[in-house]
Amino acid sequence: NVVTEFKEAIPDAKIYVYDNNSSDNTAKIANESGAIVRKVRKQGKGYVLQQMFSQINAEVYLLVDGDSTYDVKTAPELINAVLQDGYDMAVACRKAVDSSSYRVGHKFGNKLLTGAVNKIFGDSAKDMLSGYRSLSNRFVKSFPINSTGFEVETEITIHAFELKMAVIEIPSLYKPRPENSISKLNTYSDGIRILLVIINLFRQEKPLVFFFIIAIVLALISTILIFPVLLEYLKSGLVPRLPSAILSMGIMLVSILFVISGLILDTVTKGRQEIKRLKFLEL
């Protein structure tokens, strides 16, 4: 089983299995295989990581989903990237063994969401949603997890980008799930949640760009509304569509307020990011 394979690959490691309300014999099998088993009552991967990081203190953390899809042989390489090479995060970049390894929706969603994060935060991640990665102690101790579900991988990635951490992606084989094993990841609902997390973190970490985009959209709407009113005024000197003129003016004022809000929040965000970065470097 997975625990036995990892014990053989990394014999010096302590192996913890966090049982998140599984309905099979996961906890029993893991315990019999020599793992330290703990339960997390609140449903969701984010809750699991919150409890894990608060309970365990280690030099390096290796995270892996217990579904037998990830290649155990990559574990030493992921660990050494942190311990020996000085990276704060090493991500197993999945290479599918065959076409059945990935559900079509998952593969497309991963590319779409990873591309969106790269575009917004200016980085070049290839597999943001991989569930197999190693983290340094200072990464874990500087990371206040807010996510509750599978969107936590997105939050981890953006946290690394924002603090300018040293990150490496290591190619790793990705196998099909075993028979009778069902993924808890829902392509649509979890995809939407991940997208909302990206938008929220975009607003928090890049407020000037975020609010400026909204301001431009509002300014365009205002211009479209006022254009025929101006044409009529230039022709006849009259303003027959007074409600449209008032609405346009109101929307333009809101657009200006969004720009001002973005400027103020950008200053606050840069100060917060500097403090976070300094605290991270102190660890």
Side-chain angles (χ1 to χ4, degrees):
N1 60 41
V2 177
V3 173
T4 303
E5 290 175 352
F6 274 97
K7 284 177 73 69
E8 292 174 355
I10 42 176
D12 296 331
K14 282 186 179 181
I15 297 180
Y16 291 80
V17 172
Y18 278 76
D19 178 18
N20 194 206
N21 305 315
S22 59
S23 56
D24 53 20
N25 292 321
T26 296
K28 182 175 180 293
I29 294 170
N31 189 54
E32 290 174 350
S33 301
I36 302 167
V37 180
R38 292 176 177 169
K39 288 190 72 67
V40 180
R41 300 294 181 186
K42 288 185 177 181
Q43 191 68 39
K45 188 171 184 177
Y47 289 124
V48 173
L49 291 186
Q50 287 175 18
Q51 185 167 318
M52 185 187 301
F53 290 168
S54 67
Q55 292 178 342
I56 300 171
N57 189 39
E59 194 173 357
V60 58
Y61 298 75
L62 181 69
L63 309 179
V64 62
D65 298 335
D67 55 10
S68 297
T69 57
Y70 292 97
D71 187 7
V72 177
K73 295 177 183 177
T74 312
E77 197 173 352
L78 291 170
I79 292 170
N80 289 335
V82 173
L83 286 181
Q84 296 179 9
D85 301 333
Y87 288 97
D88 287 297
M89 180 169 72
V91 182
C93 187
R94 293 171 287 182
K95 303 294 180 183
V97 172
D98 56 53
S99 58
S100 64
S101 300
Y102 269 115
R103 280 157 58 181
V104 176
H106 287 185
K107 189 173 183 178
F108 174 75
N110 188 14
K111 283 187 176 181
L112 181 66
L113 295 169
T114 300
V117 168
N118 286 336
K119 195 71 174 176
I120 294 169
F121 294 94
D123 223 287
S124 56
K126 295 177 182 176
D127 192 2
M128 179 184 72
L129 301 181
S130 174
Y132 191 19
R133 65 186 70 208
S134 61
L135 305 172
S136 67
N137 180 274
R138 67 177 185 169
F139 184 111
V140 169
K141 299 310 176 185
S142 69
F143 181 44
I145 303 173
N146 294 311
S147 303
T148 59
F150 285 103
E151 66 273 17
V152 71
E153 271 103 2
T154 303
E155 191 181 2
I156 288 173
T157 301
I158 293 174
H159 178 70
F161 289 172
E162 284 306 293
L163 291 188
K164 298 177 176 61
M165 295 182 187
V167 177
I168 186 173
E169 289 187 309
I170 297 171
S172 180
L173 295 178
Y174 188 61
K175 298 172 287 185
R177 297 180 69 91
E179 289 186 26
N180 301 320
S181 175
I182 301 172
S183 174
K184 293 180 180 178
L185 179 65
N186 184 285
T187 302
Y188 299 106
S189 63
D190 285 308
I192 291 170
R193 289 180 67 178
I194 292 168
L195 182 59
L196 291 175
V197 166
I198 293 171
I199 293 171
N200 188 44
L201 289 171
F202 180 28
R203 177 183 59 81
Q204 291 179 19
E205 305 300 335
K206 305 280 187 180
L208 181 58
V209 178
F210 181 85
F211 286 105
F212 192 71
I213 290 171
I214 297 174
I216 289 174
V217 172
L218 291 174
L220 286 173
I221 293 171
S222 175
T223 302
I224 291 168
L225 286 171
I226 200 63
F227 187 72
V229 177
L230 283 175
L231 285 179
E232 184 64 31
Y233 176 76
L234 291 172
K235 287 180 181 179
S236 64
L238 300 174
V239 184
R241 301 178 185 178
L242 186 59
S244 295
I246 294 172
L247 178 61
S248 174
M249 183 177 63
I251 293 173
M252 186 60 75
L253 287 173
V254 173
S255 173
I256 294 169
L257 288 174
F258 268 105
V259 173
I260 295 170
S261 298
L263 289 168
I264 294 170
L265 291 172
D266 186 62
T267 303
V268 174
T269 298
K270 284 180 178 176
R272 178 174 55 82
Q273 288 174 346
E274 288 173 1
I275 293 171
K276 284 171 64 177
R277 176 71 177 163
L278 290 171
K279 289 292 183 182
F280 168 72
L281 294 173
E282 288 175 3
L283 294 172

